[in-house]
Amino acid sequence: MHLPQAVLTLLLLNVPLISAKPAKRFYDTHNYYVVEHKSQHLDDASLDDAAAALGVELVEPAGEIPNHWIVRRPKDVHALYSRSDDAVDPVLQKYQELKQLAETHVVARSDSTHNARRVVDSVPFLEKQTLRRRSKRAPPPIRPGDEEQPSPTSARGIAARLKIQDPLFPDQWHLVNDESPEHMMNVVPVWDMGFTGKGIISSIIDDGLEFESEDLKDNFDAEDSYDYNDHEPLPRPKNSDDHHGTRCAGQVAASKNNACGVGIAYDSRVAGVRILSGPITDVDEAAALNYGYQNVSIYSCSWGPPDNGVSMEGPSYIIKKAVVNGINKGRAGKGSIFVFASGNGAAQGDQCNFDGYTNSIYSVTVSAVDHRGNHPYYSESCAANMIVAYSSGDGKHIVTTDKGKNHCTHSHGGTSAAAPNAVGVLALALQARPELTWRDVQHLCVETARRINPNDEDWEKTVGDRYYSYKYGFGALDAEEYVKAAQTWKLVKPQAWFDTPTVRLDNGTVDTNGTYSGGTPIGAGGVNSTISITKEMALERNFEKLEHINVKVWINHTRRGDVEVEVMSPNGVRSVLAKRRRSDSSDSGFPGWTFMSVKHWGEDPVGNWTIRVFDQQSEEQQGLFLGWNMIFWGSTIDPSRAVQFDLQPSDEYLLPPKEVPPPALPPAATTTQTLHTSTATATQTNEAVALTTTATAGATGTSIPTADEGWFPSMSKLVTSQKWFFAALGAVAVFGLGIGAFLWKRRMSRVSGASHYSALAGEEVSMTARGGGALTGGTRTTRDLYDAFGELSDDDDEYGDESTALNRAVARQAGGGAGVGRSNLGFHSGFLDDDEQSAAPTAAAPLYRDEPNSTVRRNSTTDLSGSEVSSEEELSSCGPPSPNGSSSLGESWEHASRA
Ligand SMILES: *[C@@H]1O[C@H](CO)[C@@H](O)[C@H](O)[C@H]1NC(C)=O
Ligand SMILES: *[C@@H]1O[C@H](CO)[C@@H](O)[C@H](O)[C@H]1NC(C)=O
Ligand SMILES: *[C@@H]1O[C@H](CO)[C@@H](O)[C@H](O)[C@H]1NC(C)=O
Ligand SMILES: *[C@@H]1O[C@H](CO)[C@@H](O)[C@H](O)[C@H]1NC(C)=O
Ligand SMILES: *[C@@H]1O[C@H](CO)[C@@H](O)[C@H](O)[C@H]1NC(C)=O
Ligand SMILES: *[C@@H]1O[C@H](CO)[C@@H](O)[C@H](O)[C@H]1NC(C)=O
């Protein structure tokens, strides 16, 4: 059913390719799904055939994710009267039936099995969408502190020299700190160099953006803005507390004018994508993270799963898929920059390695320091922290634009405000050096961050003379250092990675029902296990220098918060991945949870990596360590052999995992002999040692890629053929799912992180609130997953009118070469144009609360001694003097282990 080329061309010519704004959603009357559709064989079902077979209508492409579509089906009227939560979903059931039919033995093959196979082969992924809510990383409450006005001289002097008339500029201590000049973002020297963010667009994914504000209207980018809560083109803040996004936007791009203060990149532009003002689906969140991703350089994300020290949650497959898509394709292939706030849950014992957004290798994870360079009580620690930026604490807050036409605030803060300060600096750097890839941006963080508060015992030496702290990451982001380094930075070679085999301890297994079996009991001294990395493993995958590591674990425990995990590198550098979490009493363990560490950046990965899993040795609570594996991420030896990472659907919890062979590398351009010699020495030093041979230097890859060609000018053929292969593999993985897996997932979603938000105020409540099924407070956040049983009321005959926008979208994707067979799919335009309410954010959804729980005590229970840097620790064994109570209340993560 391929359209003739001429028709296609006509279609493309007739319809402007400017992407339309997303369609309004009708959650009250329709169920929404996301499907991946690929025509791999001539025979595969076209998109509309597949939709017809599944009984759904096409809505629009799933954001920017290639080959993924949003589809919907009217809710069953009867289901509205019955308890719809438990009702079986007809689309998911149909998909199951088709899969079963497709797997029918050849002998029994019939037309219907053939058709089922056509559909199933073309739809490797289908997921129902449910509404859920992310938490803003709202400013922690003001605590009394030193309210003394800073001496205005220096800030006033700069204002006069730079003709800054914004009345609150002198109060913006994060820009010019008169009291502690060593503690500020240090942007003035960069402004003096002529960089003010011109030409750079940042997208504030948040609760809206006051685009009519005097301070923001000139820098507002409407084209790249959208409201996914109310499905309107502009991200107008509507709820009374929708001021968070506007405040963040002001920090980045408030104009140099007469209103409030100025943004760090005050000539840059900001878009607003509204997702936090009510529940949204995963596919809309995914689309939000790619919204405008060719023009937008940086996505500022000051939100995530609840910071309650209980939840362990990350982005779902479709959201991760969007992030990888932004990394691979965004910014003309240089990669979208995702900046995430580390979280405000430190006082609740929360750690950013329990948050799958902040512990993603694709995120620049930003924690907070206060105006004196101290660690504020709220700011979360973990081995995934990359840098800190200035924010509230010790009596001072961030001064920025507020909701309203000409409103300002003196009370913005939390890691929420740290992240946009980093975004502003990165916008300056991208103006200075637009060709930085997403990994260059991270490298520059590692290389240039300033080691503040050097006596803090959280600092540990890693390789060379580099230090790392769970609280501060590699240190405070300094705009001047960063931008200067960016100007002369030698761009890194493309990414390489390799996985280790999965180690199973005592036949540790997690089956498709999510049932744990086997595993080594965690006794006194914990369980240690080693993975040996050989030079050959790295060479075989064209791997040169280490950046991030992932450590994935399967641990079954009666009380998850008791479990601690750390990994020791061959060079004696230890990453603490999980510390005790007092509030986390979940019994669902770590079913294939992935931790991340940046602490080993620049190390030689060759040698033994040893994981240690231990617990509190309590009498009532025990557990088993079942298995683990690692992924090493870094740079290639030979850039011409680089392969782009892509994500395939898989059941992350299965142990042993489904084996998926890594993508084949293109043949070496040079003899492997020379390459071998080059890596043998390449890893130990910090510098990006350009030891690739002269032969490789002659290849295209070592030159700086232009924006248009990216690193992979000659890769397209390869990528295409590999896509085919992996799509097939992915499909196999998906088809292999048992019905039980769906039930398991549902069970897990009910069990995990089920504490009610308001329970945070009192520890006792939060202990008993488990199992409530709500992640952020509303019942609507419980994830519905595949319901595989029940009646199918098949009603395929509900396709509406043609819709140009949809055709346009189909044509757009068809341009990629997939088989097209348009018939009469449509928007149901009549339906879409009416006034019906979409799912309005319910007032019932409780608000985020992040009052520190003053009853939380951090007793020492665990000794993590044995680190290589103990002499360093002894030096500062008294700990840093804490200037006042606010910074020391929660004690730090690391300190807690040493009292
Ligand atoms: C985005 O980029 C395209 C192509 O570079 C350009 O035509 C368009 O105007 C840009 N949009 C904005 C909002 O800058
Ligand atoms: C693991 O499984 C193998 C084969 O099924 C068996 O021989 C072995 O005894 C088991 N080991 C443990 C510790 O259960
Ligand atoms: C999963 O559970 C179902 C129902 O209890 C059972 O029939 C099936 O055998 C289980 N699967 C595995 C792999 O244990
Ligand atoms: C391990 O998991 C199983 C179910 O998957 C559970 O029945 C058992 O109690 C768990 N054991 C421990 C020690 O947590
Ligand atoms: C694991 O290694 C640590 C040192 O890193 C040691 O203290 C502990 O006793 C070991 N545990 C076991 C069970 O061998
Ligand atoms: C690495 O571990 C293996 C076994 O776990 C051991 O035989 C080997 O000696 C270790 N290598 C080093 C360098 O410690």
Side-chain angles (χ1 to χ4, degrees), residues 514-516 556-558 622-624:
T515 308
Y516 294 95
N556 183 13
H557 204 281
T558 52
Q622 322 100 41
L624 298 143

Side-chain angles (χ1 to χ4, degrees), residues 38 40-41 648 659-664 717-733:
K38 287 183 165 176
Q40 296 162 22
H41 316 107
Q648 303 302 329
E659 292 296 334
V660 180
K717 259 186 235 141
L718 177 93
V719 167
T720 316
S721 60
Q722 276 176 354
K723 254 190 204 158
W724 193 93
F725 174 63
F726 281 97
L729 272 176
V732 168

Side-chain angles (χ1 to χ4, degrees), residues 385-633:
N385 252 344
M386 179 148 269
I387 45 165
V388 283
Y390 289 93
S391 188
S392 61
D394 193 13
K396 286 206 182 201
H397 283 70
I398 296 293
V399 176
T400 178
T401 315
D402 205 356
K403 190 171 77 159
K405 203 161 161 50
N406 194 356
H407 284 143
C408 321
T409 177
H410 274 82
S411 60
H412 192 36
T415 55
S416 261
N421 277 341
V423 169
V425 171
L426 298 181
L428 298 174
L430 288 177
Q431 184 194 1
R433 191 78 194 277
E435 60 271 46
L436 297 176
T437 70
W438 69 275
R439 280 170 50 249
D440 291 305
V441 165
Q442 295 199 11
H443 271 274
L444 283 161
C445 289
V446 174
E447 298 292 335
T448 70
R450 198 160 27 87
R451 190 171 154 223
I452 47 163
N453 226 2
N455 290 332
D456 191 322
E457 64 183 25
D458 198 41
W459 287 109
E460 287 181 71
K461 200 157 195 233
T462 67
V463 288
D465 53 3
R466 183 177 292 152
Y467 285 80
Y468 183 81
S469 144
Y470 302 107
K471 291 193 294 197
Y472 309 116
F474 291 98
L477 181 62
D478 181 298
E480 182 183 15
E481 296 297 321
Y482 193 97
V483 172
K484 280 187 172 159
Q487 287 181 298
T488 56
W489 176 251
K490 182 175 183 295
L491 297 181
V492 293
K493 292 187 278 183
Q495 191 181 40
W497 76 95
F498 66 95
D499 306 39
T500 70
T502 300
V503 172
R504 295 168 66 194
L505 290 92
D506 292 331
N507 295 341
T509 305
V510 181
D511 67 19
T512 52
N513 288 349
T515 308
Y516 294 95
S517 60
T520 304
I522 302 173
V527 181
N528 298 346
S529 171
T530 294
I531 288 179
S532 297
I533 304 299
T534 62
K535 201 178 294 173
E536 288 67 36
M537 289 165 86
L539 289 175
E540 194 189 320
R541 299 306 304 170
N542 191 25
F543 185 96
E544 187 176 66
K545 290 181 62 64
L546 183 59
E547 294 164 6
H548 317 79
I549 63 160
N550 280 139
V551 176
K552 180 168 176 173
V553 297
W554 287 264
I555 300 167
N556 183 13
H557 204 281
T558 52
R559 193 173 195 285
R560 186 170 64 205
D562 278 8
V563 179
E564 305 200 31
V565 181
E566 54 186 55
V567 70
M568 180 80 85
S569 80
N571 310 296
V573 176
R574 188 179 47 129
S575 275
V576 174
L577 302 172
K579 289 277 305 169
R580 184 178 189 187
R581 297 203 306 167
R582 290 181 168 276
S583 314
D584 180 2
S585 54
S586 164
D587 62 2
S588 54
F590 298 79
W593 179 256
T594 300
F595 293 109
M596 193 271 272
S597 175
V598 293
K599 193 173 176 179
H600 304 280
W601 203 280
E603 276 188 52
D604 181 352
V606 172
N608 284 351
W609 290 77
T610 302
I611 195 172
R612 184 171 171 229
V613 175
F614 52 105
D615 66 9
Q616 311 304 316
Q617 289 298 298
S618 110
E619 300 217 332
E620 307 87 53
Q621 313 292 351
Q622 322 100 41
L624 298 143
F625 181 25
L626 289 83
W628 69 297
N629 63 32
M630 293 181 73
I631 308 176
F632 294 85
W633 302 92

Side-chain angles (χ1 to χ4, degrees), residues 263-281:
I264 287 179
Y266 55 74
D267 285 329
S268 71
R269 288 193 296 156
V270 274
V273 175
R274 186 166 178 256
I275 66 165
L276 300 181
S277 305
I280 65 163
T281 59

